[in-house]
Amino acid sequence: MAKPKAPRQTLDSYTVKRINKTIKAGDCVLMRPSEPSKPSYVAKIEKIEADSRGANVKVHVRWYYRPEESIGGRRQFHGSKELFLSDHYDVQSADTIEGKCTVHTFKNYTKLDAVGNEDYFSRFDYNSATGAFTPDRVAVYCKCEMPYNPDDLMVQCERCSDWFHPACIEMSAEKAKKLDHFFCESCSPEGQKKLQNSQSTSKIAETKVDSKRRRR
């Protein structure tokens, strides 16, 4: 006859002695990867359990995926510290925790004065079975119409408030960093003149077409 499983208890917190860090549900942690050459896994702790003696501590986690671990792979607009909150849940030994980290919202991450080694951000939830993302659409910027990558330098037009990659507007990064003011091609005086000239030419062409129609 099989022995009944020993009852387990839920812990409010637990101190990982190897790193001298106290963890609790809701914390984000770095976990030992399957191969030493790989970066640490990132997970959100859902629950901490131990046996009746307070030993054999296990953590119930929800995994974050890196872009390269997703079905679609890493894309141009993905930041180097970007993670996807997945629907992949797991139970791991607390001994595999290597450290604590912070996974910021995208908005809060972009406001950081300095990004540390333990700072990450997430703007998508990820379905590990289908590869689908939530939300499935985000705002796009610049002529290239790409979502914002916080690693990339961008300049903002003072009139329309849109953002542009220097390379997309034929500007060097060095020049972009020195800008005091910037108006995009559509909002600059030169751009407005081009637009007015284009509209005038279009009206003249329409008038000629109308005249030809009336002569028939």
Side-chain angles (χ1 to χ4, degrees):
M1 184 175 177
K3 291 183 179 180
K5 285 187 177 181
R8 296 184 64 80
Q9 58 178 320
T10 299
L11 304 180
D12 293 330
S13 63
Y14 175 71
T15 299
V16 184
K17 293 180 180 179
R18 186 168 58 85
I19 58 172
N20 195 29
K21 297 284 186 181
T22 300
I23 59 170
K24 60 183 184 301
D27 284 347
C28 293
V29 293
L30 302 169
M31 306 196 75
R32 189 187 309 142
S34 57
E35 299 175 20
S37 59
K38 290 185 175 181
S40 299
Y41 296 141
V42 183
K44 182 178 181 181
I45 297 175
E46 299 286 317
K47 186 169 69 170
I48 307 170
E49 282 187 341
D51 61 23
S52 57
R53 298 173 298 163
N56 190 23
V57 179
K58 302 284 187 181
V59 286
H60 294 242
V61 299
R62 183 177 181 183
W63 293 114
Y64 282 98
Y65 279 38
R66 286 185 168 83
E68 54 270 26
E69 296 168 337
S70 67
I71 292 175
R74 180 174 286 279
R75 300 184 62 186
Q76 182 180 344
F77 63 88
H78 291 144
S80 61
K81 304 301 288 289
E82 184 159 6
L83 303 170
F84 309 142
L85 182 60
S86 79
D87 58 352
H88 181 183
Y89 294 84
D90 205 354
V91 180
Q92 294 285 319
S93 168
D95 292 335
T96 62
I97 295 175
E98 296 184 325
K100 295 178 70 173
C101 63
T102 302
V103 181
H104 303 269
T105 64
F106 181 64
K107 184 177 181 180
N108 288 345
Y109 181 85
T110 58
K111 292 180 179 179
L112 292 176
D113 293 328
V115 177
N117 292 333
E118 289 77 34
D119 288 313
Y120 298 87
F121 74 90
S122 179
R123 56 180 155 179
F124 296 108
D125 286 357
Y126 176 68
N127 186 310
S128 57
T130 65
F133 292 94
T134 304
D136 59 354
R137 294 183 183 184
V138 291
V140 295
Y141 302 91
C142 190
K143 291 181 176 181
C144 61
E145 296 188 338
M146 293 290 286
Y148 180 48
N149 181 342
D151 298 339
D152 292 344
L153 175 65
M154 299 188 81
V155 292
Q156 186 179 33
C157 174
E158 293 182 27
R159 181 164 294 168
C160 68
S161 298
D162 201 359
W163 290 86
F164 297 86
H165 300 108
C168 293
I169 52 175
E170 299 180 355
M171 181 186 294
S172 68
E174 291 73 20
K175 183 178 179 180
K177 291 175 183 178
K178 296 177 181 178
L179 286 176
D180 291 323
H181 302 282
F182 171 70
F183 294 94
C184 70
E185 185 178 7
S186 300
C187 296
S188 67
E190 295 80 6
Q192 291 293 321
K193 286 180 182 178
K194 287 181 182 178
L195 180 61
Q196 289 172 359
N197 291 337
S198 175
Q199 290 174 340
S200 298
T201 304
S202 178
K203 287 179 181 178
I204 292 170
E206 288 175 1
T207 301
K208 288 181 179 179
V209 170
D210 287 342
S211 299
K212 288 179 181 178
R213 285 173 181 167
R214 283 198 292 271
R215 286 172 189 166
R216 287 180 180 177

